[in-house]
Amino acid sequence: MKKKFTLEIASSCSENFDKMVPNSNGSFCNSCAKNVIDLSRKTDSEIARFIVENKNENICARLKTTQLENEFEYNEVSKMNNLKYAAIAASVLLTSSVVAQEKVSVETEISIQKPTTHILGKVAFSQTIEEEISIIIKGKLLDARTHKPLADRTYPNLTLTINNSPTPFMMNPKTGEFSIPLNVLKNSKTLMITVNSNDYYHSKMIPFNIQSLKGNVLHQDIIIDSEKMSKIYRLGGLGVNYVDKKGSREI
């Protein structure tokens, strides 16, 4: 029988998961002296299996906010069904063994490959080469409301990534200043900006004009609305809400 459930964290914890000590059962939180299970990297089926195997446990977990919107599903199999399936499996195994003994040799069909015909001639192709240039983007990351750098206490370990550059740049927390070397296509019209801070992130597109370069340097302040910084993870005591066939929920 299939059962469905959703997850909830009624009261979020403000502890920093990255500072917890990893172990075989999760990461140990010194504040509450218990393990925190990181479910954020697990698939839906892995989470469903974990909940079934630990449904009577008091779990503290870390989740993506998007996982709190998911509805999970698993098959609940009774002991009677387990016995029935075991009997069926044994019967199938016995039958397969008998049939295997009764098998006779089967003539092998030989297939002859048809001769292939090759066409000779010149191959024409067109290739568009997009020129890439190396630039440096310098500026400040500022809050749209205050026109000051984002508060370091609220957004610690603030990093800036432009066009999915492999190494995020950590800015000066007091001034918000950054200087990022970057390769861009010469005909680019926009740049993708991604701001990360521990459990928060925000992405936006900003315009790019190669004519604005001075030498190979683009002076560009980046203004973001801190209220649009999205929470990636939630941390705290895990609640499971089971959904019955009629759609109502039971905790």
Side-chain angles (χ1 to χ4, degrees):
M1 180 178 66
K2 290 186 177 181
K3 295 202 71 173
K4 298 180 180 181
F5 65 89
T6 59
L7 300 175
E8 69 170 2
I9 293 179
S11 299
S12 294
C13 175
S14 60
E15 293 298 319
N16 188 342
F17 182 82
D18 295 327
K19 292 184 179 180
M20 297 180 188
V21 181
N23 57 42
S24 59
N25 296 318
S27 291
F28 187 77
C29 176
N30 288 319
S31 296
C32 55
K34 64 183 300 185
N35 283 319
V36 178
I37 309 301
D38 189 1
L39 300 179
S40 65
R41 299 180 183 274
K42 294 185 180 296
T43 64
D44 286 2
S45 59
E46 288 174 334
I47 291 175
R49 184 166 61 251
F50 174 82
I51 295 299
V52 171
E53 293 173 352
N54 299 273
K55 60 183 177 181
N56 297 321
E57 301 293 330
N58 184 11
I59 301 168
C60 190
R62 183 198 196 213
L63 290 164
K64 289 181 181 178
T65 52
T66 52
Q67 289 172 313
L68 296 173
E69 301 168 359
N70 289 356
E71 189 172 81
F72 301 89
E73 184 178 277
Y74 68 95
N75 288 321
E76 186 178 60
V77 181
S78 67
K79 292 183 179 179
M80 290 298 296
N81 283 338
N82 282 335
L83 293 174
K84 180 176 68 175
Y85 295 149
I88 293 174
S91 175
V92 170
L93 181 62
L94 180 60
T95 304
S96 300
S97 177
V98 172
V99 171
Q101 293 175 10
E102 294 179 352
K103 282 185 177 179
V104 295
S105 58
V106 180
E107 292 184 1
T108 304
E109 182 180 350
I110 301 175
S111 59
I112 301 174
Q113 187 176 1
K114 295 181 180 180
T116 56
T117 304
H118 300 280
I119 301 176
L120 302 178
K122 293 183 179 180
V123 177
F125 67 94
S126 60
Q127 183 178 9
T128 302
I129 300 175
E130 296 183 330
E131 186 178 352
E132 194 174 59
I133 58 174
S134 297
I135 66 173
I136 299 174
I137 303 178
K138 293 184 177 181
K140 294 181 179 180
L141 179 70
L142 303 173
D143 191 332
R145 295 179 302 159
T146 63
H147 288 278
K148 295 180 179 180
L150 275 72
D152 185 45
R153 288 186 178 181
T154 307
Y155 305 107
N157 302 319
L158 200 63
T159 62
L160 176 63
T161 303
I162 301 179
N163 279 9
N164 297 318
S165 52
T167 305
F169 182 83
M170 185 167 285
M171 289 151 294
N172 186 321
K174 293 183 179 180
T175 64
E177 292 179 327
F178 61 86
S179 177
I180 301 179
L182 188 69
N183 290 333
V184 297
L185 295 177
K186 196 172 183 178
N187 60 353
S188 295
K189 301 299 180 184
T190 58
L191 298 173
M192 171 61 76
I193 306 299
T194 304
V195 180
N196 285 279
S197 169
N198 285 1
D199 291 350
Y200 289 89
Y201 85 101
H202 178 61
S203 293
K204 64 179 291 187
M205 301 289 289
I206 63 171
F208 172 73
N209 186 348
I210 194 172
Q211 303 299 325
S212 301
L213 291 175
K214 294 181 178 180
N216 70 327
V217 179
L218 174 65
H219 293 276
Q220 174 78 57
D221 287 344
I222 298 175
I223 313 297
I224 67 168
D225 186 350
S226 59
E227 292 184 349
K228 293 183 179 180
M229 291 285 281
S230 301
K231 186 81 170 174
I232 305 174
Y233 301 104
R234 293 278 300 277
L235 183 70
L238 188 66
V240 181
N241 300 319
Y242 291 96
V243 183
D244 62 23
K245 293 182 180 179
K246 297 178 180 179
S248 61
R249 300 183 181 276
E250 48 178 301
I251 300 177

